[in-house]
């Protein structure tokens, strides 16, 4: 019968070369991803905001494997913003190698809204906050920490100022 011994020398050489090419290709992909990480993050963030219908401007300060830092966030019209945030720190956690959003820290968020004729509005954020079919809020399942949060709601009864700080899950109350 046939000898079931080791692979012929040409096959072993071919497999070694294939392995080296695969490793080099993988390293090239990782290097490209690392170099382009800011643009990739900008695209992902932009896609999420666009899906929510929320116009926003921001600066990406730092992107690493465990956190992303955005600064100078302006949501809505830059001349009359609906929300500004000095700094957002997004911590990433990994589950089976897939990154997920962990804690989101908002530093000095400023929220502006109105309460007119019994209707609460935060301008361009309304599409993301309110389910128009049932007029209820639908907060995302995020672990948030607020540092020196403030808000101003102009109402039929006069201005209402808010100051908030704290941490916890948004969807958990």
């Amino acid at each position: 019968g046939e000898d079931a011994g080791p692979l012929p020398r040409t096959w072993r050489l071919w497999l070694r070369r294939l392995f080296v090419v695969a490793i080099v290709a993988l390293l090239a992909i990782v290097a490209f991803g690392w170099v382009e990480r800011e643009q990739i993050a900008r695209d992902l963030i932009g896609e999420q905001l666009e899906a929510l219908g929320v116009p926003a401007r921001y600066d990406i300060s730092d992107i690493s494997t465990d956190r992303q830092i955005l600064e100078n966030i302006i949501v809505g019209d830059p001349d009359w913003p609906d929300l500004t945030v000095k700094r957002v720190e997004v911590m990433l956690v990994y589950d089976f190698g897939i990154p997920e959003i962990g804690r989101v820290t908002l530093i000095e968020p400023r929220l502006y809204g109105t309460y007119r004729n019994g209707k609460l509005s935060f301008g361009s954020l309304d599409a993301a906050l309110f389910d128009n079919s049932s007029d209820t809020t639908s907060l995302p399942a995020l672990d948030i920490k607020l540092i020196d949060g403030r808000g101003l709601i102009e109402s039929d009864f006069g201005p209402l100022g808010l100051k908030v700080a704290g941490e916890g899950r948004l969807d958990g109350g």
Side-chain angles (χ1 to χ4, degrees), residues 102-106 139-146 165-173:
R103 159 116 344 146
V104 177
T105 302
L106 301 171
L139 297 174
L142 291 175
D143 180 17
I144 299 284
K145 180 176 183 180
L146 287 175
E167 56 189 281
R169 291 188 55 89
L170 281 181
D171 64 338

Side-chain angles (χ1 to χ4, degrees), residues 100-167:
E100 295 180 5
I101 294 175
R103 159 116 344 146
V104 177
T105 302
L106 301 171
I107 301 169
E108 295 184 20
R110 303 295 186 251
L111 181 64
Y112 304 96
T114 59
Y115 184 76
R116 303 275 186 222
N117 300 316
K119 180 152 175 63
L120 182 62
S121 175
F122 295 105
S124 62
L125 292 168
D126 288 353
L129 292 175
F130 300 112
D131 178 0
N132 293 329
S133 63
S134 64
D135 221 15
T136 61
T137 60
S138 53
L139 297 174
L142 291 175
D143 180 17
I144 299 284
K145 180 176 183 180
L146 287 175
I147 299 174
D148 190 24
R150 298 182 190 199
L152 176 63
I153 298 176
E154 297 288 344
S155 77
D156 295 331
F157 312 104
L160 171 65
L162 308 166
K163 182 172 179 171
V164 295
E167 56 189 281

Side-chain angles (χ1 to χ4, degrees), residues 57-69:
R57 295 178 175 187
Y58 51 87
D59 298 323
I60 295 177
S61 173
D62 182 37
I63 293 180
S64 64
T65 56
D66 63 341
R67 71 180 181 157
Q68 298 178 1
I69 298 176

